Amino acid sequence: MAKLYFRYGAMNSGKSTGLLQTAYNYEERDQRVLIIKAVVDTKGDDMVVSRLGVRRRVDLLVAEGDDLRGLVRRCALGERGAEEGAAVRRVLDCVLVDEAQFLSAAQVDQLMELVLLDDVPVLAYGIRSDFRTLSFPGSRRLLEIAHSLEELKTICRCGRKAIFNARRVVAPGSAGEGGYVFDGDQVAIDAGEITYESLCGKCYLAAGGVLAGG
């Protein structure tokens, strides 16, 4: 039976690298995969980009409000096949989702429908919480309904396990690392003057963060 998997971790925990390795493993065995990411993730445009330098173009860019199950079925089967209810499992072996935290709760439910109704495994990769330690809607729903949860670990600068994602803003033209910020929009892509650092809880508090539940 197909399952919905959520593999999550802080920034720099190898999520995109793991996704690309999984795609390679399937294709090495002549199996077809379909790679998805949200259009709001502008880093790399239409590419999955690993921090190790590996990259690959996605098959589907997903916008807010898109029906994920419908998009996957049309991409795998073509318009006519999707309309006629053809079995997508015959032509598609796995769906891989990069930066799954940017999906809506409804889109995560549509992934579960793809798993349960079309028997296609879905592996979603993403982070649990934002720079304020608050859940992303997609991650929250994945934690609620995924069949399998796997934490991908990385370490803080102090050597402890990193669990939080701290945001830094560097002033234009500055050569410095920039200061930490704990207010602002939930989504701000790691590019230009905005960067992120994975921190353990102790270092996050030392940087000036406040735990959202505190």
Side-chain angles (χ1 to χ4, degrees), residues 5-6 14 23 45 84 96:
Y5 300 82
F6 183 34
D45 297 321
E84 294 178 352
L96 302 169

Side-chain angles (χ1 to χ4, degrees), residues 18-155:
L19 181 152
L20 293 170
Q21 180 65 52
T22 299
Y24 175 83
N25 291 344
Y26 269 91
E27 292 172 338
E28 189 179 34
R29 292 159 178 79
D30 295 322
Q31 296 183 324
R32 183 184 176 190
V33 303
L34 191 146
I35 300 177
I36 296 172
K37 82 168 189 175
V39 69
V40 70
D41 178 22
T42 56
K43 183 177 181 180
D45 297 321
D46 62 347
M47 309 283 284
V48 173
V49 180
S50 163
R51 293 180 186 272
L52 294 181
V54 183
R55 59 177 56 212
R56 172 172 171 164
R57 182 164 285 104
V58 302
D59 300 292
L60 284 174
L61 282 173
V62 178
E64 184 179 1
D66 282 348
D67 175 1
L68 281 192
R69 185 185 175 214
L71 283 176
V72 169
R73 288 185 58 82
R74 286 193 292 275
C75 186
L77 298 166
E79 202 72 41
R80 182 172 178 178
E83 291 176 357
E84 294 178 352
V88 68
R89 188 64 178 88
R90 294 178 182 173
V91 295
L92 183 63
D93 295 289
C94 183
V95 171
L96 302 169
V97 185
D98 192 40
E99 305 292 1
Q101 70 272 8
F102 295 137
L103 301 180
S104 68
Q107 287 172 330
V108 174
D109 289 346
Q110 290 155 9
L111 291 177
M112 180 62 92
E113 291 172 2
L114 185 68
V115 169
L116 298 178
L117 301 180
D118 296 300
D119 196 31
V120 176
V122 175
L123 283 71
Y125 295 77
I127 59 178
R128 287 188 307 172
S129 56
D130 64 16
F131 70 108
R132 301 164 299 176
T133 73
L134 298 173
S135 296
F136 286 93
S139 300
R140 183 186 306 119
R141 190 60 177 149
L142 281 161
L143 290 167
E144 290 168 346
I145 69 171
H147 294 99
S148 175
L149 302 173
E150 179 184 351
E151 183 180 17
L152 304 177
K153 298 177 178 63
T154 190
I155 60 171

Side-chain angles (χ1 to χ4, degrees), residues 157 167-171 174-181 193 195 197:
R157 61 191 179 191
R167 181 182 291 176
R168 288 178 174 229
V169 176
V170 180
S174 171
E177 292 184 327
Y180 295 102
V181 296
E193 69 273 12
T195 62
E197 182 179 359

Side-chain angles (χ1 to χ4, degrees), residues 163-200:
I163 57 174
F164 297 127
N165 305 292
R167 181 182 291 176
R168 288 178 174 229
V169 176
V170 180
S174 171
E177 292 184 327
Y180 295 102
V181 296
F182 300 94
D183 293 300
D185 294 336
Q186 184 174 53
V187 178
I189 303 303
D190 180 3
E193 69 273 12
I194 295 176
T195 62
Y196 292 89
E197 182 179 359
S198 303
L199 298 176
C200 69

